[in-house]
Amino acid sequence: MVLNTFQVDALTELINIGVGRAAGVLNEMLMAHVSLQVPSIRLITRSNIKQELEGLFGKSASIVRMGFRGPFSGIASLIFPPDSAANLIGLLIGDLNMEADMDAIKIGTLTEVGNIVLNGVMGSLANILMKHVEYSIPIYQDSNVHNFITPYDTTEQPIILLARTRFRIETQLIEGDIILVFEVGSFESLISELNSSLDITQ
Amino acid sequence: MCSETFKVLDNVPMGIFVLQDDLTVMFWNRCIENWTNIPREQIVGTNIGEHYSHLREPRYLSRIKPIFEGGPPTIFSAQLHKHIIPSWGLNKQLRIQHTTVTAMPATEGNGFFALFVIADVSDLTIRIQEYKTLRDQALEEIKMRKEAEMKLKEFNQNLEAIVVQEIEKRRRHEELLIQQSKMAAMGEMIGAIAHQWRTPLTGLGLLFDDIKDAGEYGELDQFYLNRVVEESGQLIGFMSKTIDDFRNFYRTNKEKVRFNAKEAVEETLSLFSAQLKNNNIAVQILCAHNTNDIFCVYGYPNEFKQVILNVVNNSRDAIIERVEKSEFSNGLGQINIEISEQDDRINVSIKDNGGGIKADILNRVFEPYFTTKDAQKGTGIGLYMSKIIIENNMDGKLYAKNIDDGCVFVIELNRCKD
Ligand SMILES: Nc1ncnc2c1ncn2[C@@H]1O[C@H](COP(=O)(O)OP(=O)(O)O)[C@@H](O)[C@H]1O
Ligand SMILES: [Mg+2]
């Protein structure tokens, strides 16, 4: 499946709105100005995802995943490359006591940040489509990229939406990458929902 | 106000409450009642902000609001919001709380309620801390053990290096010794040949004088010439045989063979008898058996002969020294070689009347380079090499002891059983 420029633009726009919302939330929470770049999005096939992700940030990463069901179903994941994760944690625990265990801090912090960003984006998608989507509770996992993608056996050529954005916390000179991955079981339905709600004609 | 549908949540061991989109409390479960000491009857129907004003702040509100529209769950992690509903635990510390807020369809009409589920992770946090301490201890231990291992390894490697060096030193030393003993043997051989040749050389000299005389007196006929040629031929043959014998004598054997120890002693003495005789030393072989066959041993015959020669030469040196110091009471130097067999052993004991070895050096004579002789005469290698040949290469024994008037060197070897 190939997306036409309108569809790419529309998806980019939607994700951008979500990311913007997430940035707002992070601002409030961190009391710092967080800016998130306009994401660049790509559709890739399941078979390419490993290479693609490894190319982006090596073999291991911190991942927050959230499943969703509705007119379109799948799993949304936010991936923090190790450096970015470390930067974020450094910023967030700056004003917390260091007593707690580093791993616990890492898991708690990244789960919440991931939750914020994923909610921003999912909320924006669901909103525009005016459809109710059910969500599972987000979970955190420290993972090898190899184990990342869950095998879907239903679809022959499943498609994955990959969106990459940079965050930057101005005052702290902290920046890093985050990568959004949507494994959408029925990608066509997302696109057709998108088409009808935005009234884009091919 | 409190809907029956929520009642089931009373049994859950987590703090649970439900908010309506205007932040009115719809439900307050037993667990959170316990935590906060706020009874359900008192809080249900009121605005949560009246009790916990921070929940009205944008940083909370902006993330709670979307829930009422059916948005995705929101997480307030224990790390970033430790105490969403501050409450004291049993150990007089604020509970550390991890909160998940999810949307649930409103009981009547449309819209959603926000279901707050709060887990008390204080214990967990403490346990994680304990675990971490344990883990750190374990890691520390592992580190220490690794370091110890490394040190041991290093030490062993050093040790290995030292041993290798030491072995190499030994090897070089041994090579040097062998070289030196070869040189000594060469000197020995030249000396021995000189002695062996003295008689035939004198014989040849006399023959030539005789020829001169015969020429002068006109007796130089064919018959005479034939006799001279034959006699000198014998002498020259003897001389060249001497060289061959010595060459064979000093040739080292590559492989162990069976040989007759008694015959080896005899051959050695016949080669060097002239030298001994010239020094006025009487040599005798004493053996109770007529048959030589029982003295069969397994080893390196030439090396064995060199041992015999070394020991005999030492006796010779001791006797000569004694003569030079004119310490001899009864005049004659004497070397007796006794060959005997006992069970499966063969003994060759070489006795002399050279005055013996001083008690304080008796246990040092087998050390390499130990000598009491001056540089031209002694190297201190002879007995050391002999001991190696007998004990290391031929599985036997070589030792010395003092006797009346002299000393005895004993060689013990295993007898071959046919
Ligand atoms: N039969 C002997 N009588 C007295 N001393 C002896 C006798 N054999 C050996 N020794 C002593 O043992 C020393 C070591 O002998 P050896 O190893 O053959 O070396 P070297 O003959 O070159 O001195 C001699 O220097 C001598 O002092
Ligand atoms: Mg000697």
Side-chain angles (χ1 to χ4, degrees):
Chain A
M1 188 179 68
V2 187
L3 291 181
N4 64 35
T5 24
F6 289 113
Q7 290 165 333
V8 171
D9 284 350
L11 272 176
T12 309
E13 176 71 26
L14 280 181
I15 291 172
N16 196 31
I17 290 169
V19 160
R21 243 207 255 175
V25 174
L26 286 174
N27 278 341
E28 278 162 12
M29 225 174 67
L30 304 179
M31 317 277 224
H33 186 71
V34 182
S35 66
L36 286 162
Q37 239 174 37
V38 177
S40 61
I41 69 162
R42 295 195 313 118
L43 282 186
I44 52 175
T45 57
R46 187 168 293 275
S47 46
N48 286 338
I49 186 74
K50 264 183 200 165
Q51 282 174 317
E52 198 77 34
L53 292 180
E54 268 182 32
L56 281 174
F57 46 75
K59 293 232 149 73
S60 72
S62 307
I63 301 167
V64 179
R65 302 166 63 101
M66 180 170 73
F68 52 90
R69 274 158 181 263
F72 56 99
S73 306
I75 299 172
S77 308
L78 186 71
I79 307 178
F80 300 93
D83 288 350
S84 302
N87 281 345
L88 256 184
I89 293 163
L91 176 76
L92 292 171
I93 62 170
D95 31 10
L96 281 174
N97 62 357
M98 278 297 294
E99 227 97 301
D101 180 82
M102 267 311 289
D103 283 346
I105 288 176
K106 182 177 166 187
I107 294 171
T109 311
L110 293 184
T111 309
E112 187 161 347
V113 172
N115 172 240
I116 290 168
V117 176
L118 289 175
N119 283 8
V121 175
M122 286 313 296
S124 136
L125 281 178
N127 248 8
I128 213 81
L129 299 172
M130 307 275 271
K131 290 276 161 69
H132 178 58
V133 181
E134 276 175 32
Y135 304 93
S136 68
I137 308 283
I139 53 157
Y140 174 90
Q141 98 198 65
D142 253 322
S143 181
N144 193 307
V145 168
H146 287 293
N147 310 330
F148 171 59
I149 299 301
T150 46
Y152 270 75
D153 23 38
T154 47
T155 23
E156 328 100 49
Q157 262 294 49
I159 301 288
I160 288 169
L161 175 66
L162 196 88
R164 183 182 183 194
T165 182
R166 279 186 86 66
F167 67 87
R168 177 197 294 260
I169 295 152
E170 313 269 336
T171 51
Q172 311 275 343
L173 295 173
I174 288 176
E175 56 179 3
D177 274 320
I178 42 184
I179 291 135
L180 271 160
V181 178
F182 289 89
E183 300 166 66
V184 183
S186 46
F187 216 88
E188 276 87 354
S189 59
L190 172 63
I191 299 302
S192 66
E193 291 285 339
L194 199 64
N195 282 343
S196 58
S197 62
L198 294 181
D199 219 75
I200 296 170
T201 37
Q202 282 181 278
Chain B
M1 247 314 199
C2 175
S3 162
E4 285 294 313
T5 41
F6 296 135
K7 278 274 171 70
V8 65
L9 299 176
D10 274 337
N11 303 321
V12 180
M14 293 197 271
I16 297 176
F17 63 96
V18 178
L19 296 184
Q20 193 176 278
D21 59 358
D22 59 2
L23 301 190
T24 304
V25 179
M26 306 292 294
F27 176 74
W28 194 253
N29 84 341
R30 293 293 175 215
C31 176
I32 202 164
E33 254 185 352
N34 278 337
W35 285 0
T36 58
N37 282 329
I38 303 176
R40 181 189 288 164
E41 298 72 42
Q42 195 180 314
I43 198 166
V44 166
T46 63
N47 190 300
I48 190 87
E50 287 167 22
H51 305 270
Y52 302 101
S53 61
H54 61 274
L55 293 180
R56 280 181 180 148
E57 287 169 17
R59 64 197 185 105
Y60 285 99
L61 210 51
S62 66
R63 295 181 63 199
I64 296 171
K65 272 279 165 68
I67 304 283
F68 299 118
E69 283 139 37
T74 284
I75 287 175
F76 296 106
S77 69
Q79 274 62 43
L80 301 179
H81 318 260
K82 278 208 171 99
H83 320 293
I84 194 162
I85 302 293
S87 66
W88 273 268
L90 286 177
N91 49 1
K92 298 263 159 54
Q93 284 193 323
L94 279 173
R95 288 195 166 81
I96 299 171
Q97 299 166 329
H98 179 90
T99 308
T100 310
V101 191
T102 46
M104 58 184 299
T107 34
E108 50 216 44
N110 34 28
F112 294 86
F113 292 150
L115 173 71
F116 284 70
V117 178
I118 306 170
D120 180 351
V121 293
S122 316
D123 273 5
L124 193 68
T125 312
I126 289 163
R127 235 175 293 143
I128 284 173
Q129 216 117 307
E130 283 169 358
Y131 159 77
K132 198 198 157 213
T133 330
L134 277 181
R135 186 194 61 183
D136 287 352
Q137 276 170 3
L139 284 178
E140 185 63 24
E141 249 163 54
I142 288 172
K143 207 177 118 200
M144 271 160 58
R145 203 173 313 149
K146 277 232 175 86
E147 268 168 18
E149 258 166 36
M150 283 289 286
K151 278 204 187 118
L152 194 66
K153 212 170 159 192
E154 226 169 72
F155 175 76
N156 280 343
Q157 270 169 357
N158 283 348
L159 196 68
E160 236 165 69
I162 289 170
V163 168
V164 166
Q165 268 176 18
E166 209 48 45
I167 288 174
E168 175 62 16
K169 238 199 221 161
R170 272 275 180 84
R171 198 185 58 79
R172 283 218 211 102
H173 185 71
E174 224 127 85
E175 251 169 33
L176 190 71
L177 278 178
I178 289 169
Q179 196 57 36
Q180 284 173 340
S181 81
K182 273 189 183 153
M183 296 298 283
M186 189 105 84
E188 210 69 74
M189 177 163 99
I190 288 167
I193 288 173
H195 282 287
Q196 279 312 64
W197 278 10
R198 191 161 294 159
T199 317
L201 268 178
T202 317
L204 277 177
L206 288 175
L207 267 181
F208 285 123
D209 279 350
D210 213 29
I211 292 170
K212 212 174 130 211
D213 286 354
E216 277 169 15
Y217 294 102
E219 292 171 0
L220 205 61
D221 57 7
Q222 190 61 42
F223 173 77
Y224 184 92
L225 265 181
N226 284 348
R227 186 178 62 86
V228 169
V229 167
E230 198 194 323
E231 270 179 34
S232 60
Q234 270 173 8
L235 290 170
I236 291 168
F238 175 79
M239 288 165 75
S240 97
K241 184 173 176 293
T242 309
I243 292 179
D244 288 342
D245 287 349
F246 277 109
R247 275 240 207 89
N248 279 332
F249 181 82
Y250 285 107
R251 181 173 297 148
T252 52
N253 298 107
K254 294 261 159 19
E255 277 169 27
K256 282 188 174 183
V257 292
R258 286 165 73 103
F259 68 94
N260 189 294
K262 190 182 172 211
E263 283 169 13
V265 173
E266 285 165 352
E267 277 164 34
T268 309
L269 285 187
S270 79
L271 271 178
F272 294 92
S273 59
Q275 197 186 25
L276 294 166
K277 209 177 288 169
N278 288 337
N279 282 307
N280 267 321
I281 299 170
V283 190
Q284 248 187 316
I285 296 180
L286 307 168
C287 182
H289 291 272
N290 292 330
T291 47
N292 283 358
D293 298 349
I294 53 167
F295 298 113
C296 191
V297 296
Y298 188 62
Y300 305 99
N302 280 355
E303 275 81 348
F304 174 73
K305 288 180 195 171
Q306 282 164 32
V307 172
I308 301 294
L309 179 64
N310 275 332
V311 175
V312 168
N313 278 348
N314 281 344
S315 295
R316 174 205 63 196
D317 290 346
I319 291 167
I320 290 174
E321 201 185 348
R322 215 178 174 201
V323 169
E324 278 168 0
K325 287 185 188 161
S326 40
E327 284 172 0
F328 254 114
S329 44
N330 49 0
L332 191 68
Q334 182 98 31
I335 299 174
N336 287 339
I337 303 177
E338 211 180 302
I339 305 170
S340 62
E341 53 91 29
Q342 195 181 41
D343 303 331
D344 40 8
R345 305 284 278 178
I346 286 174
N347 275 16
V348 180
S349 58
I350 299 155
K351 279 183 204 165
D352 66 50
N353 58 350
I357 306 168
K358 283 203 188 92
D360 57 329
I361 59 164
L362 187 58
N363 56 355
R364 295 194 58 198
V365 296
F366 293 102
E367 285 175 16
Y369 298 122
F370 178 82
T371 180
T372 55
K373 301 166 192 169
D374 51 23
Q376 288 99 336
K377 277 196 198 151
T379 57
I381 299 166
L383 287 182
Y384 171 72
M385 290 296 292
S386 301
K387 201 168 179 78
I388 285 183
I389 289 168
I390 298 299
E391 300 197 343
N392 290 9
N393 301 350
M394 289 177 63
D395 249 357
K397 266 189 184 158
L398 170 64
Y399 54 90
K401 53 189 181 191
N402 279 320
I403 50 169
D404 229 18
D405 223 19
C407 64
V408 57
F409 280 80
V410 182
I411 301 167
E412 288 181 18
L413 290 173
N414 292 322
R415 195 159 71 92
C416 273
K417 285 174 238 155
D418 349 45

